[in-house]
Amino acid sequence: MDLQKISCSISEHRDDIINRLLSFSATDTILYLRGGVCNQSVLLFAKKAIDMANSIMNSHFEEVNGLEVSNINQKQKDVLKKYLFNLDNQSLIILYLVALELKSVLLGVLFVTQSFKVQDVFNLSYAEELEEQKKWGEDEAISNKHSEILENLKQWESFCYERSIFKN
C-alpha cells in the first residue's frame, strides 16, 4: 500500500472518509469491552484510553454495558466531526486506516496523537480475542492475523515518523 500516494489523493475523498469514521464511532470496539472482557486491568486501561481520547477531542464517549448503542455516544458525532475536519490529510488517512484495522476511531485518535503505544492500541482492540486465547489456547490463524495487523500498525507508525506526521 502506497501511503504517500493515498495521503496525496485524500483531498477528493475527505468527506467520505470522515463520514465513514462517524458512522461507526458510536459502536467503537473499546466502548464495548466491559461485556466481553473479564480482566480488570484491561478494563481499567480501556477506561483510561476512553478518557484520554475524550480529553484530546473534548468529547464525552462512554463505556457501554450490553449491545445497545448509547445515546450519549451517538451525540458525540458532531464533536468528532469537528476534530476530524481539523486534522491534516496525512493524519486523517492514518487515523482512518488504524480505525478500520482496529474497529476503533478512539484508538485511531490515540495512535495519531501518540498517546498510546502501538502494542497498547492493538491489545485494547483485540482484548477479547487475546483473553480467549489465554483461556483456551492459541489459534494459529488468529495469531497470524494478529501478527499481520501489528505489522501494519508498525508500518503506519514508521510512515508517521518518516513524514513528521506525529506532532511533538
Side-chain angles (χ1 to χ4, degrees), residues 44-88:
L44 287 171
F45 197 56
K47 180 167 179 13
K48 179 181 175 183
I50 294 165
D51 291 346
M52 177 70 73
N54 280 331
S55 175
I56 291 165
M57 296 184 296
N58 198 27
S59 59
H60 301 287
F61 284 96
E62 65 179 9
E63 290 179 285
V64 177
N65 286 318
L67 299 176
E68 278 300 308
V69 176
S70 160
N71 286 333
I72 290 173
N73 290 341
Q74 286 284 19
K75 292 177 182 176
Q76 300 313 300
K77 288 182 180 180
D78 288 337
V79 175
L80 177 59
K81 185 175 185 178
K82 181 180 176 184
Y83 174 81
L84 295 172
F85 266 106
N86 287 323
L87 290 176
D88 61 74

Side-chain angles (χ1 to χ4, degrees), residues 61-119:
F61 284 96
E62 65 179 9
E63 290 179 285
V64 177
N65 286 318
L67 299 176
E68 278 300 308
V69 176
S70 160
N71 286 333
I72 290 173
N73 290 341
Q74 286 284 19
K75 292 177 182 176
Q76 300 313 300
K77 288 182 180 180
D78 288 337
V79 175
L80 177 59
K81 185 175 185 178
K82 181 180 176 184
Y83 174 81
L84 295 172
F85 266 106
N86 287 323
L87 290 176
D88 61 74
N89 287 345
Q90 290 186 332
S91 296
L92 180 62
I93 195 62
I94 294 297
L95 190 151
Y96 177 73
L97 292 171
V98 170
L100 289 182
E101 191 75 82
L102 301 180
K103 299 164 193 74
S104 174
V105 177
L106 300 180
L107 291 174
V109 169
L110 296 175
F111 182 93
V112 298
T113 59
Q114 289 185 287
S115 299
F116 279 51
K117 296 175 184 171
V118 167
Q119 189 67 54

Side-chain angles (χ1 to χ4, degrees), residues 124-148:
L124 281 172
S125 180
Y126 290 97
E128 287 183 64
E129 287 181 19
L130 295 170
E131 191 171 282
E132 288 295 317
Q133 284 193 0
K134 282 183 182 175
K135 189 176 183 178
W136 302 108
E138 199 167 296
D139 178 286
E140 186 177 346
I142 291 174
S143 293
N144 289 340
K145 179 183 93 168
H146 288 173
S147 294
E148 184 180 313

